Each structure stands twice: as C-alpha cells, then as structure tokens.
Amino acid sequence: EYSTLSGIFTKSCRLSLGLYLEGVPYGKGITVDLPLADPVLVAEKNARHAVYVAAIDQARVCRAGEGPKLQSIESGEMTPDVRAIVDSLRSRDRSRIEEALKAAIALGATARQAIPALTPLLEDRGFTGQSAARALGALDPEGTVVTPVLLCQLGEPDRAWKYAAAGVLLRIGNRAGQEALAEGLKREPTSQRYAVMRELETSGRKAAALLPPVIECAVSEPDLRLRSACISLLPRIDPADRASLRALEKAQADEDLTVREKAKSAWQYASELRLRELVKTPESLALGMVTDPSSAVRLQCLHTATSTRPYGTAVAAALRQAANDPDEKVREAARRVLADPS
C-alpha cells in the first residue's frame, strides 16, 4: 500500500510483497518504518522504490532476528549488573531468565548492552517472550535499535504476542504500534480485545491517540465485561479529556449495575488525578474552581486555594465566579469566604 505517503516518510505503512524476500514467506505482511528508508531515495522522492528497499531491509531483520545495529551494541565493557543480566538471559534456566528480565526493566536504558541477549527470547511465544518485548522497550525507550525487531512481530498470528509488541512500539512512540492496537480494538473478536486492553492500560497516557475507540467501547460495547474494562481505562489515558468524562457521566446512569459502579469509580479516580495537578499552583486551583466538571473537585480547589491568606487576584476572581456555581455546596462555600473580610 503506497497510498499514505502524502506526509512522505513520516508514517509507517504495511505491505504484502508477494514474493520471497530473504526467507520471508510469500504474501507475508512486512511492516516498514518509513523513516528508516534510504535518505537518498527519500530526497529523490522515489516513494515506491524507497518503500521496496526498506521492505527488503526489514525482511532481513525479520529473518535473522536482529538488525545490523545490534551487532555492535554489546561492545564495550559492561557493568557487573548488566553482565549478570546478560549471562542469565543466555542461560536455560527459566527462573533466572525471568528475574533477569525484571532486572533489565528496572535498570532501563542503562542496561542497553543486554539488548542482543534479549532478542532471541522473542522466539518464545509465551509469557517470557512478551516480557522480553516489554524489556526491549525499557532498554531502548527511543526505539532507535529495537524498532525493526519489534516491527517483525506485528504479523504474528498469536494475538497476545502481537499486541505485546504493538504496546511496546506504542510506548516508544512508533505509529505502527498505535495503528495495530487501534485496529485490534475495533476489529478483533471480544476474547482477543483483552490483549489490546492490557497494553493500553500499561501504556497509560501514551495511549492518548487511542482515546476515540476506547470511548466508543465505553459507550456502546455490547459485551458488559469489556465495556466495563474500557470505562476503567479512560482516566488512566486522560483524566481531563471532556469526551471521556461525558462518557463516564453517561455510564453512571446505565441500566447495568456493574457498569454504573465501574463508571462511578472511574469518575472518582479521574477526579483524584486531576486534583493532584490542580493543587500545584494558585492559578491552577483558581482554574479548577470554576472549570472542573466535578463539583467535588471544584469545592476542594476552593477550600485549598483559600486555606491561606492573602490569596491572589486569580483566586479572588474565581471566587466571585464560584459564588454563582450551579452546585449549592460550591456556591455557599464561595459566598462564605467572600463574606469573611479576614
């Protein structure tokens, strides 16, 4: 598919090459990261040829399980911690491998030299392989090395595995991961969409681009369990998004008790997350006092903003507005403060 090249070489695209490329089966989809395409071809704007060449390079990565950048990344002296991780990853002891994966994730980019030892674990189609994919994202948060390796996994038939790789790509800012998860949330059978939901929950605010399909799921998904999961996910992605909050308000009046309870809990959690941000400055408290959709948050902003005197002009202006708040408790609290000259 060459149809999305208007913003040339800024997005990922997916194509089926229809021929054998370095051992990649006929017709297998190859996900190509266009910024990796040859800069000379990019400069010449030869889009079709650039994509073709990038696909061949990507096919080589998918066949070998590692790209040319991985060959030298392990060079240089390792710290004892990283060496211990590498040795454990190359052992046959499953418990040692799992502990090493946890240690690698904890160390993050400082354990970058462990990446070549991690990539063979992607062959495992169980929990270990999924953990290895997540560890790769932690060790290379910019995705400069591991992106081609992870892109290979998006054509996997195992959905849990595919979406684990897509989640890592999403978190390192690669559009291909976002697109794979969005498509999965819309088109997969209900039982498979839970794998997508797990990755979105892990991604948190980095999944902001996927809010529209999550909101749609929260509002209209017929499967109540999945719908409840989408409702609970909304504040984790963006607790201040107005469309999300409208969906939560609507869900609190749902005919199903479980949905109503999930929506109330999600609304409360979103309110708590917003309040943590609003209390940071008097100006943000003043803004929250008059604009937050939750009357409880507006009231708490009012109490916090006026707990010390003197308060600034922003808070004073917000108080005058709050005196006409639609919520009785907020109105009365604002009027009491305004009536107290001290």
Side-chain angles (χ1 to χ4, degrees):
E1 296 176 8
Y2 302 100
S3 58
T4 60
L5 296 177
S6 54
I8 198 160
F9 305 108
T10 61
K11 298 180 179 180
S12 297
C13 77
R14 185 164 182 77
L15 64 157
S16 294
L17 296 175
L19 68 160
Y20 287 95
L21 286 177
E22 297 290 327
V24 175
Y26 175 86
K28 181 176 180 180
I30 301 296
T31 300
V32 178
D33 201 26
L34 292 182
L36 300 178
D38 189 298
V40 175
L41 296 175
V42 172
E44 294 174 354
K45 301 191 186 309
N46 189 342
R48 192 176 189 85
H49 191 191
V51 172
Y52 183 81
V53 172
I56 293 174
D57 291 342
Q58 184 64 48
R60 292 193 180 107
V61 172
C62 293
R63 179 190 180 193
E66 61 180 50
K69 291 182 180 179
L70 295 183
Q71 295 171 4
S72 60
I73 196 171
E74 200 174 357
S75 62
E77 187 174 351
M78 296 184 188
T79 66
D81 287 344
V82 176
R83 171 54 64 190
I85 288 172
V86 169
D87 291 342
S88 295
L89 291 174
R90 288 175 172 162
S91 74
R92 295 177 179 271
D93 186 322
R94 183 58 61 93
S95 62
R96 281 186 66 191
I97 291 173
E98 290 176 358
E99 290 300 316
L101 288 170
K102 293 176 184 177
I105 292 172
L107 286 177
T110 59
R112 184 180 174 87
Q113 288 170 299
I115 290 176
L118 266 171
T119 52
L121 297 177
L122 297 177
E123 296 300 318
D124 183 292
R125 288 299 177 263
F127 177 78
T128 298
Q130 294 178 36
S131 297
R134 296 185 179 101
L136 284 173
L139 270 57
D140 185 23
E142 300 299 321
T144 54
V145 173
V146 303
T147 294
V149 177
L150 291 169
L151 286 172
C152 299
Q153 318 305 321
L154 296 185
E156 287 297 322
D158 185 307
R159 290 302 188 257
W161 173 250
K162 170 184 176 177
Y163 294 125
V168 177
L169 287 166
L170 173 69
R171 292 187 285 279
I172 62 178
N174 186 280
R175 188 178 176 87
Q178 172 191 321
E179 292 172 351
L181 291 166
E183 183 179 3
L185 191 58
K186 289 180 180 179
R187 303 185 188 282
E188 289 284 10
T190 299
S191 60
Q192 301 291 351
R193 281 186 281 168
Y194 288 107
V196 178
M197 296 297 295
R198 282 193 296 272
E199 294 307 319
L200 296 183
E201 184 174 359
T202 301
S203 301
R205 299 197 181 199
K206 291 185 177 181
L210 292 164
L211 257 180
V214 177
I215 292 172
E216 182 180 351
C217 169
V219 170
S220 58
E221 170 58 43
D223 183 88
L224 292 179
R225 185 180 165 211
L226 184 60
R227 187 176 170 204
S228 296
C230 289
I231 287 170
S232 297
L233 181 59
L234 288 176
R236 297 178 182 275
I237 297 177
D238 188 348
D241 180 76
R242 292 303 172 118
S244 295
L245 295 174
R246 286 194 295 270
L248 291 178
E249 261 189 317
K250 182 178 179 181
Q252 289 180 69
D254 194 89
E255 61 183 16
D256 183 81
L257 175 60
T258 301
V259 170
R260 292 199 303 271
E261 289 179 345
K262 288 287 186 183
K264 289 175 182 176
S265 296
W267 178 272
Q268 179 62 33
Y269 183 47
S271 298
E272 292 171 1
L273 292 176
R274 292 196 307 278
L275 191 57
R276 291 178 196 173
E277 296 298 316
L278 292 170
V279 299
K280 290 181 177 179
T281 67
E283 291 75 19
S284 60
L285 281 168
L287 184 65
M289 196 190 309
V290 295
T291 64
D292 196 90
S294 167
S295 60
V297 171
R298 296 198 300 274
L299 184 61
Q300 185 59 52
C301 286
L302 189 155
H303 288 320
T304 304
T306 59
S307 60
T308 57
R309 303 289 181 98
Y311 40 79
T313 56
V315 173
L319 272 172
R320 290 191 291 273
Q321 282 187 258
N324 297 308
D325 192 275
D327 183 82
E328 183 180 2
K329 291 182 179 179
V330 177
R331 285 198 309 272
E332 290 181 354
R335 291 169 182 176
R336 281 197 301 272
V337 174
L338 289 170
D340 183 1
S342 62

